[in-house]
Amino acid sequence: CLKEAIRCFVINNSIRASRGDKYTHNSMLINVTPYTVLIDDVAGLITPYLEDVRDMFANSYKMKSNDSEIISLFKKTFETHYKDIEIHFDDLLEEMHHSLQKIKVIAVHGSHGNKEAKAENSLNYEKYKDKGLSVIAVGGYILSRGLTLEGLNVSYFVRTTKTSDTITQMCRWYGYR
């Protein structure tokens, strides 16, 4: 589910930060539709969800309440996907709190002009080179066609296609040539 993928993104960022990579770029790709209007709608749904998670997590973190509903969801995600890692969940709570504050949601799509230029301008990694950009990039074709997402560590992909070249381009995300 998308909410679990977002929790994985936060946990991944936190693990990287705990290992000394606090100021590196972290990206999550969400590709569920090729339609610009729907891309904006999906990004528009993720933003308030992420804000709610931030608020709930911050309140629980400040109150030192590790048994809250949101902390329990993150712990369950951690235990499901990170059981073999040598970091204890409780040791990541501070990093998760900080990681959640950094994440931006950006709808990445082209227009009738230069699509690549518009997409790259909306994902300005250079602007965040000192702090590192943590971004959830929601897009369609522009993300399917080779736009580089720096520090990509979670992909959420639900799409069908009838053309083999699109599938080939998408497979490049995972190192296939």
Side-chain angles (χ1 to χ4, degrees):
C1 123
L2 181 55
K3 291 178 180 179
E4 184 165 12
I6 292 170
R7 289 192 300 271
C8 284
F9 180 59
V10 173
I11 292 168
N12 284 349
N13 296 352
S14 303
I15 291 169
R16 290 187 74 193
S18 74
R19 292 178 174 168
D21 290 331
K22 283 187 182 205
Y23 306 110
T24 58
H25 300 307
N26 293 290
S27 299
M28 175 178 180
L29 175 149
I30 298 176
N31 190 321
V32 294
T33 182
Y35 303 109
T36 301
V37 173
L38 295 178
I39 290 168
D40 290 337
D41 288 348
V42 171
L45 292 171
I46 293 169
T47 299
Y49 169 73
L50 189 59
E51 289 170 0
D52 288 345
V53 169
R54 276 187 191 121
D55 292 344
M56 288 186 293
F57 198 98
N59 289 336
S60 297
Y61 179 73
K62 288 175 188 173
M63 295 173 57
K64 306 275 189 230
S65 175
N66 291 358
D67 60 345
S68 70
E69 181 181 346
I70 193 68
I71 301 286
S72 295
L73 283 171
F74 273 93
K75 187 169 187 172
K76 182 178 178 189
T77 299
F78 182 85
E79 289 171 348
T80 300
H81 299 286
Y82 303 89
K83 58 186 167 212
D84 296 330
I85 199 162
E86 295 182 14
I87 296 174
H88 193 270
F89 176 78
D90 292 336
D91 296 336
L92 290 176
L93 288 173
E94 183 176 350
E95 292 298 348
M96 282 191 267
H97 173 67
H98 294 300
S99 176
L100 276 163
Q101 304 310 311
K102 285 179 63 173
I103 298 172
K104 299 179 181 311
V105 179
I106 298 176
V108 181
H109 47 70
S111 61
H112 293 296
N114 185 342
K115 294 179 184 182
E116 286 77 16
K118 182 174 181 180
E120 288 183 24
N121 287 336
S122 66
L123 281 171
N124 188 347
Y125 289 103
E126 187 64 26
K127 182 179 175 183
Y128 296 90
K129 67 181 178 181
D130 294 334
K131 296 180 183 179
L133 176 62
S134 289
V135 63
I136 296 176
V138 183
Y141 287 130
I142 201 78
L143 293 180
S144 303
R145 297 292 180 169
L147 179 70
T148 299
L149 296 177
E150 295 188 29
L152 179 64
N153 63 53
V154 174
S155 296
Y156 185 85
F157 185 80
V158 181
R159 292 276 303 278
T160 59
T161 183
K162 295 179 182 176
T163 57
S164 63
D165 67 322
T166 301
I167 292 172
T168 302
Q169 287 289 336
M170 292 173 190
C171 289
R172 290 177 55 213
W173 295 337
Y174 306 103
Y176 298 106
R177 300 196 184 257

